[in-house]
Amino acid sequence: ASEGPELFTNIAREARDAGFNTKDGIKVKWFLDDLSIDRKDQDSLKNLEAAIKEVKAGHAAATGLGEHALNIALDTLAATMEAQGAAASEAWTYAQSVHCMSQAGKEAISAKFLNNKAGLVTAVQSVMDSPPLLPSSAGQTSVREQCAARVAQ
């Protein structure tokens, strides 16, 4: 996703500031900590491994961790709409204005549904009926992004 290079730069800077040598790279555990991924969370680790393989193969998609970014975004969108009493038919309008969605989520929705707004309505209705399984780090990542956005304002 677009925030990857910034994430690397920030982690490397923090490591150097803490006295670690980053000349040969940085430790994966620092990424896990920054992404709020528990090292025992096998699902999140498998998703991260798949994303790394995609990047190494040169096939990284704009949707970050693939379907997980999309599922998290759809879940956030559906939950926001349900909380406000909105129907799934309003999904595209809400997708453009939901502020609690991650940048990766916004990119995932845009990439998948930009030319298929009816598909977004169907996907949101499906999530409203039966929410997808999400990685355990999804909520933590969302809260971290929301805090960073508010601080940046």
Side-chain angles (χ1 to χ4, degrees), residues 11-29:
I11 293 171
R13 183 182 59 246
E14 290 171 7
R16 282 191 303 275
D17 291 349
F20 291 99
N21 179 3
T22 60
K23 182 180 137 200
D24 296 322
I26 62 177
K27 296 182 180 189
V28 171
K29 70 179 186 176

Side-chain angles (χ1 to χ4, degrees), residues 91-105:
W92 187 255
T93 302
Y94 271 80
Q96 303 307 303
S97 64
V98 172
H99 299 292
C100 59
M101 196 181 314
S102 72
Q103 185 61 35

Side-chain angles (χ1 to χ4, degrees), residues 60-144:
T63 57
L65 294 176
E67 290 300 306
H68 281 292
L70 182 61
N71 286 341
I72 293 166
L74 289 170
D75 185 68
T76 301
L77 181 59
T80 300
M81 292 175 65
E82 286 179 323
Q84 296 180 9
S89 60
E90 300 176 67
W92 187 255
T93 302
Y94 271 80
Q96 303 307 303
S97 64
V98 172
H99 299 292
C100 59
M101 196 181 314
S102 72
Q103 185 61 35
K106 290 176 185 176
E107 290 173 8
I109 284 180
S110 187
K112 177 122 182 163
F113 299 108
L114 183 61
N115 296 315
N116 185 10
K117 294 175 184 168
L120 177 61
V121 170
T122 301
V124 167
Q125 186 61 58
S126 176
V127 169
M128 287 176 165
D129 294 339
S130 179
L133 292 175
L134 303 175
S136 62
S137 61
Q140 295 167 335
T141 301
S142 173
V143 169
R144 186 186 76 230

